[in-house]
Amino acid sequence: SHIRHAWDPTKSVAQNLAEMGLAEDPNKAVPIPKKKLLGMEVESNGREQGKKIVRKPYVVNEMEYEASLPEKKSNTLSRDLIDYVRYMIQNHGENYKEMARDEKNYYQDTPKQIKRKINVYKNFYPEEYKDFIASLKLEKMDVQ
């Protein structure tokens, strides 16, 4: 959006980007130094980059600021995975071998894969997991 606001439609792409302090061709912006090959020196193409005037430095500054902001954590699990894990825990407790043989194990997960999915659920929703386990214990006490 910063580039869009600073863009001048009367100028070329190269001129617009140069005014903003951005590179049109990343290979020219950060040249790869030539290396010696088998004792022979390879000469560079002799082009020297002249200093370019940046007329719109605020574009780069705004983009750098935006990039420095911390990311929002939007990690969530799918509703299907949550239901799957809750079903397995509710019916089998912590018996992963029995979970692997369950008919609802559509993807034929191994006991280790099921355990990993349960641990992911525990890490993503620790409070919800604790409440779920507590409700299971209450159900067992009510049944007995």
Side-chain angles (χ1 to χ4, degrees):
S1 66
H2 306 296
I3 294 173
R4 189 178 304 119
H5 293 298
W7 196 265
D8 185 0
T10 62
K11 296 182 182 177
S12 70
V13 173
Q15 289 171 336
N16 270 310
L17 291 176
E19 281 186 355
M20 293 178 214
L22 300 173
E24 176 189 15
D25 184 5
N27 294 323
K28 291 179 183 173
V30 184
I32 299 172
K34 302 290 181 183
K35 296 181 180 178
K36 293 182 181 181
L37 298 174
L38 300 172
M40 299 169 47
E41 287 190 29
V42 178
E43 293 182 26
S44 63
N45 55 7
R47 272 195 272 164
E48 290 187 21
Q49 296 287 338
K51 290 189 177 181
K52 296 180 181 175
I53 299 171
V54 179
R55 294 190 179 134
K56 300 176 183 175
Y58 60 89
V59 175
V60 174
N61 294 338
E62 289 172 354
M63 289 173 63
E64 285 176 348
Y65 172 74
E66 203 171 279
S68 70
L69 294 174
E71 280 188 49
K72 295 177 185 174
K73 278 195 172 182
S74 62
N75 296 338
T76 59
L77 297 178
S78 69
R79 190 74 233 162
D80 293 336
L81 181 64
I82 293 171
D83 293 341
Y84 172 77
V85 167
R86 289 173 146 248
Y87 169 83
M88 290 297 186
I89 294 172
Q90 191 171 8
N91 291 323
H92 305 292
E94 292 195 10
N95 188 347
Y96 301 110
K97 288 183 180 180
E98 199 174 304
M99 289 179 193
R101 284 187 246 117
D102 193 289
E103 63 184 14
K104 295 267 185 174
N105 185 6
Y106 300 126
Y107 297 109
Q108 297 182 355
D109 292 330
T110 63
K112 279 189 174 182
Q113 289 172 321
I114 295 172
K115 184 175 184 178
R116 197 174 309 122
K117 286 181 180 183
I118 291 173
N119 286 335
V120 167
Y121 175 70
K122 285 179 190 177
N123 292 335
F124 272 78
Y125 304 105
E127 295 299 321
E128 188 177 313
Y129 177 76
K130 287 177 187 173
D131 294 341
F132 178 64
I133 295 299
S135 70
L136 288 178
K137 288 180 181 176
L138 287 175
E139 285 179 19
K140 285 183 183 178
M141 292 175 75
D142 292 341
V143 171
Q144 292 174 354

